[in-house]
Amino acid sequence: MDIITSHLNADFDSLASMIAAKKLYPDAEVVFPGSQEKNLRDFIEAFQPLEIKRIKEVDLAKVTRLIIVDTKVPGRIGPFAELLTGRNIRIHIYDHHPFHKGDIRGELEKIETVGATATIFTEILKNRKLHPSPMEATILALGIYEETGCLLFPSTTERDLLAVSYLLKRGANLNIVSSFIKMELSMEEFDLLNELIQSSQEMVVGGIRIKVAKAAREQYFGDAAHLAHRMIDMEDIDAVIALLSMEGKILLVARSKVPE
């Protein structure tokens, strides 16, 4: 049995990549390893883009190939991590995050430095002439727009823009995209988030990936703490410690998505 999966707390880049992977592996079952973000759950309920199995419906003993998209961190694939040891499982990985120590390795690894995994799949589908339907194009566009902050995050590349251009040609519906992607950040917040990302350095403590970042503003910047959540989502890490210098004081913001 082939399984296509992604990371816990799945987002639109996860869904888009899983749907595109299904076109490459038509006999595979699509399975979320656990939770999904609320916006994604609302979208799936409204549009039901494809059949998605629940993890409890899968007999792990029958899995022979695992296709992992938008992550390669063992701790982020939920119960599927059990397949990584003691079993001769074929593993295919598609991701836009760079390799780190302890990451899952596979017989096929498609890792590209772009803003979204959906961009990688869009290029593959285009090159193989496996053209997405208008709904598939819309979902791939959702993945790219969400992961790149509507093409404004510094991780955005030219390839992301070209992928969106192709998806628009294939009928991607921007009305649907805009209804599920909310632009919550002001330009000042984008500037501060960019500064935090550019300054960030990663460390691993007890197997936990932590990014430490810093930024400075002369005037007080209200409620900057939520930017740490954005960094966690964008960087595929476990925790963020942000140091913000404002009005001569240092504000320390720490956010984590793991109990440790």
Side-chain angles (χ1 to χ4, degrees):
M1 177 192 297
D2 288 352
I3 294 291
I4 298 169
T5 194
S6 188
H7 55 77
L8 297 169
N9 200 30
D11 53 18
F12 280 111
D13 197 21
S14 300
L15 177 65
S17 300
M18 292 166 75
I19 287 176
K22 176 71 171 175
K23 295 179 77 69
L24 302 181
Y25 306 87
D27 296 327
E29 300 285 357
V30 176
V31 187
F32 284 121
S35 61
Q36 305 96 48
E37 292 184 350
K38 184 181 184 303
N39 259 13
L40 182 60
R41 295 198 307 270
D42 292 343
F43 179 88
I44 292 172
E45 183 177 347
F47 292 97
Q48 298 180 348
L50 81 168
E51 181 182 356
I52 302 174
K53 287 189 177 294
R54 291 178 292 180
I55 184 68
K56 65 181 182 181
E57 298 175 309
V58 176
D59 184 352
L60 294 181
K62 295 182 179 179
V63 177
T64 55
R65 180 164 58 178
L66 189 62
I67 300 105
I68 306 170
V69 303
D70 199 33
T71 189
K72 49 192 173 301
V73 180
R76 298 201 72 199
I77 60 172
F80 288 118
E82 298 176 19
L83 301 176
L84 303 178
T85 56
R87 291 275 304 278
N88 187 24
I89 300 293
R90 300 172 63 196
I91 297 175
H92 292 190
I93 301 170
Y94 299 82
D95 194 15
H96 72 112
H97 303 102
F99 271 110
H100 293 281
K101 184 178 180 181
D103 279 349
I104 302 167
R105 304 305 300 248
E107 67 173 13
L108 184 151
E109 298 172 346
K110 185 70 173 177
I111 314 300
E112 301 284 348
T113 306
V114 291
T117 306
T119 295
I120 299 170
F121 277 106
T122 298
E123 293 176 341
I124 293 172
L125 296 182
K126 180 181 179 182
N127 291 336
R128 297 191 185 184
K129 301 189 185 307
L130 296 171
H131 300 304
S133 68
M135 178 51 72
E136 290 169 341
T138 299
I139 296 169
L140 283 161
L142 268 165
I144 296 171
Y145 272 105
E146 180 187 60
E147 195 74 2
T148 62
C150 292
L151 305 175
L152 290 173
F153 287 158
S155 55
T156 306
T157 69
E158 177 186 0
R159 290 167 61 183
D160 300 299
L161 275 71
L162 291 173
V164 169
S165 174
Y166 166 75
L167 294 170
L168 291 175
K169 292 178 183 177
R170 303 308 307 180
N173 187 325
L174 289 183
N175 288 325
I176 295 176
V177 172
S178 63
S179 67
F180 284 92
I181 301 296
K182 304 300 181 184
M183 287 294 293
E184 300 171 351
L185 298 184
S186 66
M187 289 308 300
E188 291 79 9
E189 289 172 318
F190 270 118
D191 288 341
L192 182 57
L193 180 60
N194 287 343
E195 187 173 334
L196 288 168
I197 292 171
Q198 295 297 330
S199 72
S200 66
Q201 297 184 17
E202 183 172 317
M203 61 180 66
V204 179
V205 180
I208 306 301
R209 292 179 174 182
I210 304 168
K211 282 222 170 173
V212 179
K214 62 181 180 179
R217 292 292 182 273
E218 290 185 4
Q219 303 298 321
Y220 179 76
F221 195 97
D223 192 24
H226 71 284
L227 298 179
H229 288 288
R230 289 293 183 116
M231 286 189 65
I232 287 179
D233 292 338
M234 290 170 54
E235 300 289 300
D236 191 33
I237 51 177
D238 299 313
V240 164
I241 298 174
L243 301 166
L244 303 169
S245 173
M246 297 182 289
E247 293 186 332
K249 298 180 180 179
I250 302 293
L251 172 67
L252 186 149
V253 179
R255 293 291 184 269
S256 173
K257 62 183 178 184
V258 294
E260 295 86 351

